[in-house]
Amino acid sequence: MKVRISFISISVLVLVCSILGFQTNLISEAAASNSRAKAKNVIFMIPDGFSPAYAANYRLYKGEPSVMDSMLVGMVRTYSADSALTDSAAAATAMATGYKTNNGMIGRTPDGIERKTILEAAREQGKAIGLVATSSITDATPAAFSSHVFSRKDESDIAQQQLQLADVLLGGGKLFFLPETMGGKQSSRNLLEEAKQRGYRVVENRAQLESASGNQVLGLFADGDMAPELDREHTNEPSLKEMTGKAIDILRRGKDGFFLLVEGSQIDSAGHYNDAAWAMKDTESFEEAVGLARKFAEEDGNTLVVIAGDHDTGGMTVGGYDQTDAKLEVLRQVHASGLYMTKELKNDRSNVKEVLKAYAGIDVTTEEEIAIINAADAMQAINHVISKRSLVGWHTYLHTGVDVPLYAFGPGSELFRGLHNNTDLPHLVSRAMNIDFGDEKYKK
Ligand SMILES: [Zn+2]
């Protein structure tokens, strides 16, 4: 009997051990495959000014979850070195270099020292580099990934540095690439001409972008910022999705992979104007670019897509005005920005009713009409009427300090789970890419 028990015990022990061993094998194989999983390509996307309230309002506007929703992995803290409320320069410097800096500074710490960006580290690995934005390409967010200046206003300096780093640059800001003698800003150099001589194909509208060939393309589609998506039909500008698609088509030809930065710049602009329809439409435009990037990543299998806002703009709320609902569907009838509608007003603003009916699908009340006619700023008044009717609340024309959502998809995306500081992001990206970004804390 004793022998039998021992035999059974041993048998059970062997069985347990073999199950455990099998599971251990499974776990170690999964861990090994995770540690082997390497992002050859990175598409880093920044919806400037986007907060959880934008995400929630956009879901109501769209009527279903967004493409981003299924990729949510965490949140990001946004404060800068000198303020609880960051600007885009300090936020993007943190996300690009891993260092906090003062508002307004680009690619440098408050002591003035230049800090390497994740884009520069990727370049050192032989990766092709792309920058896409709907603001000037020299604006703070793309600038902080690709240049080092003391002030975000030094946009011609930024342009010169960007041309040393990036193979593809698509956005606005043509005036910072032209000399003052040709109507340009800040410089005597003709960077457009220099770019052509160095082999860039230079394009200035949607059709030219579509047909552009070559491995280096400089696309400047507006003198300054590009148009809001709501007003783009009145221009020859490409959409964010079209620019993102073209950039991927060009960059993917490189054998060592690529790093593409894409900014949905106009979400922030909408927030600064408290323009709810513009905010939702540019979020939709950003989502379309995300959808394209994600599809590429799904098919490619070696591409990490990371989406991180840099800060909230406007202190948007879902609902407000002492009402107990939200009416985002009102915004689907709006077909122009407040900026555009204001330009359509006569000098005496006698056509407020006609303009709001034509572009916003709204029959304004006499009270609303009088408020717009008498307002110190007609655009703010128009945006207020539309925000109030859609029950989208705003708290400021500036940024706020709330945490913003973080999304990731593809190899290494599991690294991004949780609450991060914005300075963590380049280190997590470098881990996913398996490249050295010089911080022990993040080494495997
Ligand atoms: Zn801003």
Side-chain angles (χ1 to χ4, degrees):
M1 194 63 186
K2 216 176 175 184
V3 174
R4 281 182 69 92
I5 288 169
S6 293
F7 176 74
I8 291 167
S9 302
I10 289 164
S11 303
V12 168
L13 191 65
V14 167
L15 185 66
V16 168
C17 284
S18 65
I19 290 169
L20 279 176
F22 179 61
Q23 285 181 336
T24 309
N25 273 346
L26 271 186
I27 291 162
S28 61
E29 271 173 31
S33 77
N34 262 345
S35 67
R36 275 200 304 271
K38 184 182 157 187
K40 183 183 175 194
N41 310 313
V42 174
I43 304 175
F44 197 107
M45 308 181 77
I46 301 179
D48 200 304
F50 186 82
S51 74
Y54 285 71
N57 271 329
Y58 181 67
R59 216 174 285 127
L60 294 167
Y61 174 82
K62 187 182 180 187
E64 59 180 342
S66 74
V67 175
M68 286 83 84
D69 281 338
S70 67
M71 301 160 69
L72 184 72
V73 288
M75 298 289 285
V76 181
R77 301 175 66 191
T78 67
Y79 65 93
S80 69
D82 63 343
S83 175
L85 306 190
T86 190
D87 79 331
S88 290
T93 297
M95 291 194 281
T97 70
Y99 289 92
K100 296 273 183 187
T101 195
N102 294 339
N103 287 351
M105 293 183 79
I106 298 279
R108 292 180 189 270
T109 32
D111 52 13
I113 295 174
E114 284 189 19
R115 303 293 180 176
K116 187 195 282 187
T117 76
I118 186 69
L119 230 64
E120 290 165 334
R123 180 56 141 190
E124 285 170 7
Q125 300 296 314
K127 297 195 184 295
I129 302 295
L131 300 169
V132 170
T134 48
S135 60
S136 290
I137 197 66
T138 52
D139 200 33
T141 304
F145 280 79
S146 53
S147 69
H148 308 272
V149 294
F150 286 95
S151 167
R152 59 184 289 170
K153 292 176 184 158
D154 299 335
E155 293 188 61
S156 184
D157 282 356
I158 291 165
Q160 289 172 34
Q161 293 183 41
Q162 288 178 322
L163 282 171
Q164 301 301 320
L165 180 70
D167 303 287
V168 176
L169 296 118
L170 305 175
K174 191 167 112 187
L175 294 187
F176 297 108
F177 290 76
L178 288 175
E180 284 168 353
T181 51
M182 292 175 68
K185 284 183 179 171
Q186 298 181 356
S187 177
S188 57
R189 287 170 63 174
N190 186 338
L191 297 176
L192 270 190
E193 199 49 46
E194 289 178 30
K196 274 182 200 164
Q197 284 165 11
R198 286 181 40 212
Y200 284 88
R201 177 95 166 85
V202 175
V203 295
E204 298 187 25
N205 60 50
R206 192 178 175 206
Q208 288 175 356
L209 177 68
E210 203 182 338
S211 62
S213 56
N215 295 333
Q216 290 186 301
V217 175
L218 172 62
L220 299 169
F221 307 105
D223 287 347
D225 291 344
M226 292 172 69
E229 182 61 24
L230 270 176
D231 305 335
R232 192 171 60 81
E233 62 182 306
H234 308 292
T235 72
N236 290 318
E237 298 172 7
S239 70
L240 187 63
K241 180 185 175 184
E242 288 164 346
M243 292 193 289
T244 303
K246 187 71 181 188
I248 292 172
D249 282 349
I250 296 167
L251 297 171
R252 68 186 299 183
R253 296 176 198 153
K255 66 174 174 31
D256 296 319
F258 66 82
F259 196 124
L260 171 63
L261 180 82
V262 177
E263 186 197 26
S265 325
Q266 301 273 336
I267 299 169
D268 173 68
S269 313
H272 282 296
Y273 290 129
N274 287 186
D275 189 324
W278 179 351
M280 291 299 103
K281 192 69 180 175
D282 260 278
T283 298
E284 181 180 83
S285 172
F286 182 78
E287 184 198 28
E288 286 171 1
V290 169
L292 184 140
R294 179 175 167 143
K295 188 162 178 285
F296 173 78
E298 278 170 3
E299 289 164 7
D300 178 68
N302 297 307
T303 300
L304 170 67
V305 180
V306 177
I307 305 165
D310 54 353
H311 53 72
D312 165 71
T313 305
M316 181 191 269
T317 63
V318 181
Y321 310 94
D322 295 322
Q323 300 292 309
T324 56
D325 204 355
K327 295 182 179 170
L328 272 293
E329 66 278 6
V330 168
L331 299 180
R332 297 218 69 99
Q333 307 308 315
V334 181
H335 297 291
S337 67
L339 195 63
Y340 188 90
M341 284 187 259
T342 305
K343 286 177 188 156
E344 294 297 299
L345 289 179
K346 292 178 181 166
N347 285 339
D348 63 358
R349 301 182 190 169
S350 59
N351 60 337
V352 163
K353 275 192 164 161
E354 292 81 353
V355 167
L356 271 283
K357 181 71 180 169
Y359 294 103
I362 286 177
D363 292 306
V364 291
T365 63
T366 305
E367 195 184 341
E368 288 168 333
E369 182 189 15
I370 291 170
I372 293 170
I373 289 172
N374 293 333
D377 185 324
M379 181 180 63
Q380 283 180 5
I382 289 172
N383 289 344
H384 180 71
V385 164
I386 295 171
S387 292
K388 197 171 176 184
R389 280 172 173 255
S390 57
L391 299 178
V392 172
W394 301 95
H395 197 70
T396 176
Y397 290 107
L398 304 176
H399 299 169
T400 79
V402 296
D403 299 340
V404 294
L406 175 63
Y407 310 89
F409 177 83
S413 58
E414 70 282 354
L415 298 169
F416 293 81
R417 195 177 307 133
L419 174 64
H420 297 283
N421 216 316
N422 51 7
T423 46
D424 297 337
L425 298 179
H427 296 286
L428 298 173
V429 169
S430 70
R431 266 184 73 182
M433 296 171 83
N434 219 353
I435 64 172
D436 186 9
F437 197 58
D439 189 330
E440 291 298 325
K441 182 179 154 196
Y442 290 96
K443 282 187 179 159
K444 274 175 271 177

